[in-house]
Amino acid sequence: MAEARPAVADGNQKLFPCEVCGRCFAADVLERHGPICKKLFNKKRKPFDSLKQRLQGTDIPTVSQPPQPKGQPMRKSNWRQQHEDFINTIRSAKQCTLAIKEGRPLPPPPPPTINPDYIQCPYCMRRFNETAAQRHINFCKTQSSRCVFDPAQTAARLASRAQGKAQATPKKQ
Ligand SMILES: [Zn+2]
Ligand SMILES: [Zn+2]
């Protein structure tokens, strides 16, 4: 006699809720799903769409599973998110440094995973909200390109400053 299989085949596989859509996934699936879901959510997140989205959201198939105690699984998925974000930050920082050194165009900033509203500056790795980020990244770009790509100019400026000082201070004899 064949029994109906439960939705979760592995009894010992733990499911974690997605922070964005609330659906539950196995840890490795959530790892892939999370960033995609947030990106989608970010795109859709316009004031007039939210109600429509909520109405449409009712027919999204969900994994049937018994209700979980709140708190613990969320904290676990947060830890995963933060860890992922940390790795992303380091990785992109390395790529940025490399790109600056070799004079290549900078890689795109990593998708923000902790707060989808915040955008990370690819130059200084700080996070800003959308409006501030656009202004800041432009500013930071000029700043960093000025510092990194003109070592000769910086040296010249330092030299001339040193000369000026030497001329300005009369020698006492
Ligand atoms: Zn999701
Ligand atoms: Zn910056």
Side-chain angles (χ1 to χ4, degrees):
M1 234 172 75
E3 272 182 80
R5 273 199 185 177
V8 187
D10 297 325
N12 56 355
Q13 191 164 37
K14 267 208 159 187
L15 296 178
F16 302 98
C18 169
E19 277 179 43
V20 181
C21 66
R23 283 186 282 165
C24 290
F25 302 93
D28 57 329
V29 179
L30 182 64
E31 213 162 7
R32 266 175 292 141
H33 165 87
I36 297 169
C37 190
K38 277 187 179 170
K39 217 182 258 176
L40 279 176
F41 180 76
N42 236 3
K43 262 184 207 163
K44 281 186 194 167
R45 207 174 43 86
K46 280 171 186 161
F48 290 110
D49 278 348
S50 60
L51 181 68
K52 219 195 269 175
Q53 199 193 338
R54 208 174 301 156
L55 289 174
Q56 286 172 345
T58 51
D59 58 8
I60 294 176
T62 48
V63 178
S64 68
Q65 85 169 119
Q68 287 184 357
K70 271 187 182 176
Q72 209 196 7
M74 271 315 272
R75 211 182 298 147
K76 261 193 182 166
S77 88
N78 252 339
W79 177 87
R80 285 195 86 88
Q81 286 284 322
Q82 275 173 16
H83 182 66
E84 211 175 288
D85 189 68
F86 178 69
I87 289 173
N88 273 344
T89 307
I90 301 230
R91 198 178 295 156
S92 85
K94 270 186 192 163
Q95 280 178 349
C96 270
T97 323
L98 219 101
I100 289 173
K101 259 189 201 163
E102 296 175 1
R104 282 189 286 122
L106 288 165
T113 49
I114 285 186
N115 187 340
D117 287 332
Y118 275 51
I119 296 167
Q120 189 174 48
C121 170
Y123 303 98
C124 66
M125 297 299 137
R126 279 182 287 168
R127 286 169 174 277
F128 303 90
N129 68 41
E130 240 170 277
T131 356
Q134 267 167 12
R135 259 180 292 145
H136 167 87
I137 290 176
N138 265 337
F139 170 78
C140 214
K141 190 178 173 182
T142 2
Q143 286 286 319
S144 74
S145 64
R146 206 181 280 160
C147 292
V148 176
F149 291 120
D150 282 339
Q153 205 186 344
T154 314
R157 207 182 300 144
L158 281 174
S160 77
R161 201 185 295 165
Q163 259 183 14
K165 233 181 207 172
Q167 284 171 1
T169 32
K171 280 178 187 171
K172 278 185 182 177
Q173 277 183 331

